[in-house]
Amino acid sequence: MTAVHADIDSTVPEADRPKRTLPALLASLGLLVVFLAGAWAAWFFTIDDAFISFRYSANLAAGHGPVWNLQGPPVEGFTNFAWVVWGALGSVLGVALPLFTKLTSLVLGLLTLAMLLREGHRRGGMLGLLVGAGAYVVFLPTYFHITGGLETAAFAAVLLRVVVLGLRVLDGTQLRAWEPPVLLVLLGMIRPEGALAALPVVLWWLVRQRGRAQWLWTGAAALVGAGYFVWRWQFYGQLLPNTFYVKFGNLSLGWIWTKHTTLVLLPLLLLTLSLLFRRATRAVGVLLVDCRG
């Protein structure tokens, strides 16, 4: 809610600002209450796939490395390296990993909500706040992503931050030189496709805001990303995670998942595509389509 305060037009007389901010504050509070109630209602849920990551995290914390079995060649049965490493921290601290990941995702979900409230209000006033944050709050899978134990909430929070940075580049706002490259590497380590989602924003940022610091940070990020890729290739002996080869062999299941997911998200996809047809919103539409792609 502080974020909403920060974006009030400085030209509005101070005496009138409480009248302007009160509806936004009340709406933000209402959405926060709904969000917390939804997370509480779904708290019982932990998806079975999360226990694959939990096992890798526990073995890493025990000093065996990110492996499934302690004997035999290592197999990369996960695609969420950063999440596995984060889970290892929870294991070292002695916290049950289902609880540790749920709490982490809850915090990241709150940060996601805060970004949506801030950017929605900043760019579209009350309507923008309600549409942006409201869509997140009323989308029921949000809560099962938070409590399921997987990296979905973390991926969504980092990707949303990347999109926000992209919008600020379009506005001409100067970004901190370290942030886009760091988020690019982080998103790619949370899920491999994250690097592809963040790359358009980073490239656009490099074109629009040239400077020595930007290139130094981007070069460092490229070295870290390349080093990680070479390490995992050498450690596991495969170019891609084992899960890719397993799922690639069953295209019918992948098609079923894609079809159903597309149908659920079709309204949001159409709204995003509609931005391309207006000159005033075309640049934003291209940015969002690139990140979703």
Side-chain angles (χ1 to χ4, degrees):
M1 300 194 211
T2 305
V4 175
H5 270 297
D7 290 317
I8 297 299
D9 187 354
S10 59
T11 63
V12 177
E14 191 169 346
D16 293 338
R17 290 185 186 182
K19 298 177 183 179
R20 293 281 301 273
T21 60
L22 183 59
L25 289 171
L26 292 176
S28 299
L29 180 61
L31 290 170
L32 175 61
V33 170
V34 173
F35 175 83
L36 292 175
W40 175 80
W43 199 255
F44 70 94
F45 176 74
T46 305
I47 195 168
D48 53 357
D49 283 358
F51 288 90
I52 298 174
S53 298
F54 295 164
R55 178 161 170 166
Y56 278 96
S57 296
N59 285 337
L60 178 59
H64 303 298
V67 297
W68 177 259
N69 294 317
L70 303 186
Q71 304 295 327
V75 177
E76 189 179 15
F78 60 90
T79 56
N80 51 358
F81 177 76
W83 193 246
V84 167
V85 173
W86 180 251
L89 173 62
S91 188
V92 168
L93 295 174
V95 183
L97 289 183
L99 176 61
F100 184 74
T101 53
K102 286 173 190 283
L103 290 174
T104 300
S105 294
L106 179 62
V107 171
L108 291 169
L110 288 169
L111 289 175
T112 299
L113 179 60
M115 283 190 282
L116 291 169
L117 290 170
R118 176 189 175 91
E119 291 301 315
H121 187 263
R122 177 171 176 263
R123 297 178 180 279
M126 176 62 78
L127 181 60
L129 182 152
L130 292 174
V131 172
Y136 178 66
V137 166
V138 302
F139 187 59
L140 291 181
T142 292
Y143 305 106
F144 295 102
H145 291 157
I146 286 172
T147 64
L150 286 175
E151 74 287 350
T152 312
F155 186 85
V158 177
L159 180 57
L160 178 60
R161 180 59 184 172
V162 169
V163 171
V164 168
L165 293 182
L167 293 174
R168 291 182 181 176
V169 170
L170 293 177
D171 292 340
T173 304
Q174 191 72 24
L175 305 185
R176 290 170 289 196
W178 61 267
E179 194 169 6
V182 168
L183 293 181
L184 172 67
V185 174
L186 178 59
L187 200 60
M189 289 188 179
I190 295 175
R191 288 197 61 84
E193 63 269 26
L196 297 177
L199 189 59
V201 170
V202 174
L203 293 176
W204 188 239
W205 168 68
L206 288 172
V207 170
R208 293 285 295 268
Q209 299 183 7
R210 297 171 184 167
R212 187 167 180 268
Q214 283 92 326
W215 286 105
L216 287 175
W217 277 103
T218 303
L223 287 175
V224 171
Y228 162 69
F229 183 82
V230 171
W231 167 80
R232 52 159 298 280
W233 190 0
Q234 293 296 317
F235 187 78
Y236 293 108
Q238 290 183 312
L239 185 64
L240 298 171
N242 187 62
T243 51
F244 171 83
Y245 298 102
V246 172
K247 293 178 180 179
F248 189 76
N250 194 340
L251 294 178
S252 60
L253 288 179
W255 167 245
I256 292 174
W257 179 88
T258 301
K259 181 174 66 174
H260 287 289
T261 302
T262 301
L263 288 174
V264 171
L265 299 178
L266 188 60
L268 290 177
L269 294 173
L270 291 176
L271 282 173
T272 302
L273 290 173
S274 69
L275 296 174
L276 300 175
F277 295 99
R278 291 185 59 206
R279 179 173 296 180
T281 59
R282 189 166 298 153
V284 173
V286 170
L287 172 70
L288 294 177
V289 170
D290 285 343
C291 289
R292 290 186 179 206

